Amino acid sequence: MTVPSHVHPTADATTTVAVVTLGCARNEVDSEELAGRLAEGGFTLVDDAESADAVLVNTCGFIETAKKDSVDQLLGAADLKSDGGRTQAVVAVGCLAERYGEELARELPEADAVLSFDDYPDIADRVRTILTGAPHVPHAPRDRRKLLPISPAARGSAAADSTGAGGAVVPGHRVVTADSRVGEPDLPAGIAPASGPRVHRRRLGGGPVAPLKVASGCDRRCAFCAIPRFRGAFISRPPEDVLAEAGWLAGHGVRELFLVSENSTSYGKDLGDLRLLETGLLPDLAAVDGIERVRVSYLQPAEMRPGLVEAMATVPGVAAYFDLSFQHSSPTVLRRMRRFGDTERFLGLIEQIRAVAPEAGIRSNVIVGFPGETEDDVEELCGFLEAARLDVVGVFGYSDEDGTEALGYDGKLDEDEIAARAARVGELAEELTAQRAEDRIGEVVDVLVESVDPEETADSAEPAGSVEGRAAHQGPEVDGTTRVVGAPGARVGDFVRALVVDTEGVDLVAEALPGAGAGAGR
């Protein structure tokens, strides 16, 4: 159906909507929850924006490059609103929309609406209204940290109270009832941070891996980061909600859960048990029928504890994978960043992990060019990376961010110097991570198959059954992959046990072991 440009449809079974996602895995979860609400509200979901009456762009607002990508995506979607085209409305949601609100709407009139996290619970009605051509008043951004009590314990009590009949709802939150969910109405009732609506998801993609949000918000006050201001204070999801959603994902073909949040190491502190992740949630998730591997992301080194290291390294079904947010190793730079640690402490943590799990995967991100950073600081960071032997290192050049403490710091470096330092550290990291991959030659790995090569030609030099996936030390999207040869009959979602025989940068090449097949990851 082609809708003339002067007609604004209302939502029914023929009204289509596409959800476009940018940014991190947390945004992927939000998009799938938005999709669930839109489907419940009468919209038909489509993959192609050109086939949609309305296009929702779930934006990222973390760093300058991510903001630009989001704006470019919104402009590209707006181009679809040409005469004779189907697209009638472009809607900005997500972090960039929440963070800038009125300013984004003013600077980007091509978007028909800029919505807040507070609009998520009623997203279907919002989009329906936008499609009628009714004017939209963009929101004024606010500091979402102030929507919840300062004390984590008080947050947990307020959340528990709000789930009962007649309970007071925490400001900025919404009680989710069974009647408000999409699909099977059997998820436990709970309270939802406005930045992550807790409804039954509608998967927007396939594949055997899915992110699963365990918490929203962050209580840390890193000088370079604006996320707590627009994502809010930290609040854990009740474990029963997380487990129910894990079961639902398993029923939809998911074999690996990728646990995401702004800070997974804080899970449970507002529920009265800071050890809840290692003593309850991880073992219970690993025991969900159909789930073969559980992976935790976004760990704060300052909050790592021996029990959590032990659980992540030894609980069957939990990947020995440590996504540690070091950001730097110079104590001078880290203190200016309002962060904990130094080279010696970080190396001590890595040694602790490898003492329990020598083959554990360890990844991190670092920021170079932070205000006041000296050449000596860069040298210390490089020395740390050489000693740490990390599997993956993301290197980012510092950029000023609105609403952060570092915006007002002195000692700013010019952009060329920041770029030069980022290139230098990045080249070192690339060399070191390739060496770390070579260290894995001879290891036996369990690879979750994510793609299967087309049938090889008769003169193919490789054994039949070449597949690609990820070993336990490789996280989704950015941590490298493992290509396995000699696994005929392997399908997407299978686990194949294989011997690492070669590398291609950070990627591994492995040969399937005799008898390797589905389920080998347990």
Side-chain angles (χ1 to χ4, degrees):
M1 178 184 73
T2 299
V3 182
S5 59
H6 63 279
V7 175
H8 298 279
T10 56
D12 57 32
T14 63
T15 307
T16 56
V17 60
V19 181
V20 179
T21 307
L22 294 96
C24 64
R26 300 182 297 260
N27 258 17
E28 292 179 30
V29 178
D30 288 351
S31 286
E32 293 193 349
E33 292 171 340
L34 288 168
R37 292 185 183 276
L38 289 163
E40 182 188 38
F43 289 89
T44 296
L45 296 165
V46 295
D47 295 330
D48 186 359
E50 293 184 1
S51 302
D53 296 306
V55 179
L56 264 71
V57 179
N58 191 356
T59 61
C60 178
F62 181 42
I63 57 177
E64 199 61 39
T65 54
K67 296 176 195 174
K68 183 181 183 302
D69 289 344
S70 295
V71 170
D72 289 345
Q73 189 67 56
L74 286 164
L75 291 173
D79 287 342
L80 299 175
K81 297 190 298 179
S82 58
D83 288 344
R86 176 158 189 157
T87 303
Q88 299 300 307
V90 174
V91 181
V93 297
C95 293
L96 189 69
E98 174 64 41
R99 187 175 178 185
Y100 290 102
E102 296 168 324
E103 180 182 348
L104 181 62
R106 184 171 59 252
E107 298 294 329
L108 197 71
E110 291 85 354
D112 296 279
V114 176
L115 301 183
S116 165
F117 293 145
D118 293 329
D119 293 305
Y120 282 19
D122 303 307
I123 190 66
D125 288 340
R126 297 288 187 273
V127 175
R128 183 179 295 108
T129 300
I130 293 163
L131 282 168
T132 67
H136 168 72
V137 179
H139 65 282
R142 54 181 171 164
D143 188 343
R144 301 192 73 87
R145 294 173 296 186
K146 299 177 180 178
L147 299 180
L148 288 166
I150 293 176
S151 163
R155 286 179 226 154
S157 297
D161 290 344
S162 70
T163 60
V169 177
V170 178
H173 288 57
R174 174 177 181 266
V175 174
V176 179
T177 65
D179 292 339
S180 71
R181 295 193 183 95
V182 177
E184 302 92 323
D186 57 352
L187 288 181
I191 193 159
S195 59
R198 300 261 58 91
V199 297
H200 219 190
R201 294 159 59 170
R202 175 68 62 94
R203 292 204 75 193
L204 295 175
V209 182
L212 175 57
K213 188 180 288 189
V214 298
S216 289
C218 183
D219 289 341
R220 304 192 71 85
R221 295 295 180 263
C222 302
F224 56 81
C225 183
I227 288 176
R229 182 178 294 271
F230 59 85
R231 276 288 185 180
F234 183 88
I235 183 168
S236 305
R237 287 184 68 194
E240 59 269 23
D241 283 12
V242 178
L243 288 167
E245 190 169 325
W248 179 83
L249 288 168
H252 285 72
V254 172
R255 305 293 300 282
E256 178 180 312
L257 300 174
F258 185 46
L259 306 188
V260 299
S261 70
E262 278 74 26
N263 177 9
S264 297
T265 34
S266 282
Y267 182 81
K269 71 176 184 180
D270 52 326
L271 302 178
D273 184 359
L274 186 55
R275 299 175 63 247
L276 188 57
L277 181 62
E278 57 261 43
T279 61
L281 190 61
L282 286 179
D284 288 347
L285 285 171
V288 171
D289 189 30
I291 297 300
E292 294 289 338
R293 190 155 70 193
V294 179
R295 184 183 305 277
V296 186
S297 65
Y298 302 104
L299 301 169
Q300 283 289 341
E303 298 180 33
M304 288 299 294
R305 45 203 179 268
L308 181 56
V309 170
E310 181 78 18
M312 291 178 62
T314 63
V315 171
V318 176
Y321 172 83
F322 294 81
D323 176 17
L324 295 164
S325 176
F326 290 127
Q327 302 301 351
H328 213 284
S329 71
S330 163
T332 303
V333 174
L334 286 166
R335 297 308 172 268
R336 284 176 65 85
M337 287 180 169
R338 303 293 186 201
R339 292 181 66 85
F340 156 93
D342 53 44
T343 297
E344 183 179 357
R345 293 183 186 183
F346 290 163
L347 290 177
L349 175 58
I350 292 169
E351 182 180 357
Q352 179 186 357
I353 291 168
R354 289 181 173 146
V356 184
E359 297 177 353
I362 306 176
R363 76 171 324 276
S364 191
N365 296 320
V366 297
I367 298 172
V368 294
F370 192 77
E373 182 190 63
T374 66
E375 281 292 341
D376 287 343
D377 294 324
V378 178
E379 284 298 322
E380 177 153 1
L381 175 60
C382 290
F384 164 71
L385 295 177
E386 290 169 353
R389 297 171 47 245
L390 303 176
D391 291 275
V392 179
V393 182
V395 180
F396 297 90
Y398 170 80
S399 63
D400 281 335
E401 291 295 323
D402 297 332
T404 63
E405 182 181 348
L407 184 66
Y409 279 6
D410 56 11
K412 298 283 179 68
L413 304 176
D414 64 48
E415 292 184 4
D416 290 343
E417 178 61 25
I418 293 173
R421 292 185 183 187
R424 172 186 164 195
V425 177
E427 289 173 6
L428 175 63
E430 185 176 353
E431 178 183 348
L432 293 171
T433 52
Q435 291 174 4
R436 174 61 177 157
E438 291 176 358
D439 292 343
R440 292 190 180 275
I441 293 176
E443 282 187 14
V444 174
V445 293
D446 292 315
V447 179
L448 173 58
V449 178
E450 295 180 302
S451 66
V452 177
D453 287 352
E455 290 187 15
E456 293 84 357
T457 60
D459 60 352
S460 173
E462 292 184 351
S466 179
V467 301
E468 189 166 337
R470 289 175 303 100
H473 71 280
Q474 296 169 318
E477 304 293 340
V478 295
D479 284 2
T481 61
T482 299
R483 180 164 56 89
V484 180
V485 296
R491 300 166 299 175
V492 171
D494 287 349
F495 277 82
V496 175
R497 182 154 290 169
L499 176 70
V500 179
V501 296
D502 200 0
T503 65
E504 298 171 352
V506 297
D507 298 328
L508 305 183
V509 180
E511 294 178 352
L513 294 175
R522 273 286 189 199

